[in-house]
Amino acid sequence: MHIAILTFEGYNELDSLIALGVLNRVKTDGWRVTIATPSPKVTSMNGVTIEQMSTLEEACAADAVIVGSGIATREVVEDQAIVNILRGLDPSRQLIAAQCSGALVLAKLGLLNDIPACTDLTTKPWVIAAGVEVLNQPFYAKNNIATAGGCLASHYLAAWIIARLKGNDAAESALHYVAPVGEKEEYIERAWRNITPYLPAPAPALV
């Protein structure tokens, strides 16, 4: 099971790395979380340089993908070489999530047709200009596509992916690990309140 976090030059550390940390709380064989970049190294908006763990092409074949955000997302969606590769993303066979300005990438790829999105306040007008309705909430998902708005909503995306791929218990365990001491139940309850409406209904019990 491969989960790739698309991370571009000028990336936002809170978006890519919080998701990386939460997703890696799943400790089962075959569970792999990578930072997928278009180049061997990328440097964040605050000067943190990280190395490529997987390529964009590998991300397009992953079981789940998070499109991270950053200060150069408008440049990313104008880079035809990157866009051509990302056209390989396919919600019919993989979970696709976007954090903040990552929603603009999904919009430009045509993956948000008739699907509203969550994004950060800076990116909101660009996503609207791309023809996508922007919601005033931290998380939204429809079928295999999810979006989150605000850096600290990144754990919602991670928990949604874990719940979809490994079940609710695995997602709750990951959230419990990262939530502040003394506030764990509160954090978990809020996360489920935002995520549960967008999870598939459980299969009826066999009688």
Side-chain angles (χ1 to χ4, degrees):
M1 198 73 72
H2 178 203
I3 301 92
I5 303 171
L6 303 189
T7 304
F8 303 101
E9 191 69 22
Y11 73 92
N12 185 320
E13 306 94 334
L14 293 175
D15 295 344
S16 289
L17 301 183
I18 288 178
L20 179 76
V22 176
L23 288 164
N24 269 315
R25 296 317 309 163
V26 176
K27 303 296 185 184
T28 60
D29 291 342
W31 183 267
R32 182 167 68 103
V33 186
T34 65
I35 297 291
T37 64
S39 56
K41 294 181 180 182
V42 291
T43 300
S44 76
M45 58 194 296
N46 294 306
V48 179
T49 299
I50 56 176
E51 295 185 355
Q52 181 184 69
M53 298 172 67
S54 64
T55 65
L56 299 186
E57 289 86 353
E58 289 173 310
C60 289
D63 300 281
V65 177
I66 294 178
V67 184
S69 74
I71 59 173
T73 304
R74 285 188 293 176
E75 288 80 355
V76 169
V77 298
E78 296 299 327
D79 188 320
Q80 204 55 50
I82 290 177
V83 171
N84 286 342
I85 296 172
L86 296 185
R87 292 198 188 282
L89 294 174
D90 184 356
S92 72
R93 58 175 176 78
Q94 59 190 167
L95 301 179
I96 300 176
Q99 177 70 42
C100 292
S101 64
L104 181 62
V105 176
L106 298 192
K108 292 294 186 178
L109 291 172
L111 295 177
L112 294 179
N113 293 339
D114 301 319
I115 300 177
C118 301
T119 190
D120 63 280
L121 299 181
T122 300
T123 307
K124 179 178 179 179
W126 307 332
V127 176
I128 292 174
V132 176
E133 177 190 359
V134 174
L135 303 173
N136 184 33
Q137 61 191 60
F139 178 85
Y140 179 84
K142 182 176 181 180
N143 299 324
N144 287 345
I145 294 179
T147 53
C151 301
L152 296 182
S154 56
H155 66 296
Y156 295 156
L157 287 183
W160 176 78
I161 287 174
I162 296 171
R164 290 292 307 274
L165 297 179
K166 286 293 183 180
N168 290 5
D169 288 347
E172 183 162 331
S173 176
L175 289 171
H176 188 274
Y177 184 91
V178 301
V181 172
E183 298 179 340
K184 291 185 181 294
E185 290 74 16
E186 177 186 348
Y187 266 67
I188 292 169
E189 190 279 330
R190 182 168 61 244
W192 284 130
R193 188 170 66 242
N194 283 291
I195 298 168
T196 299
Y198 309 109
L199 290 173
L206 297 177
V207 294

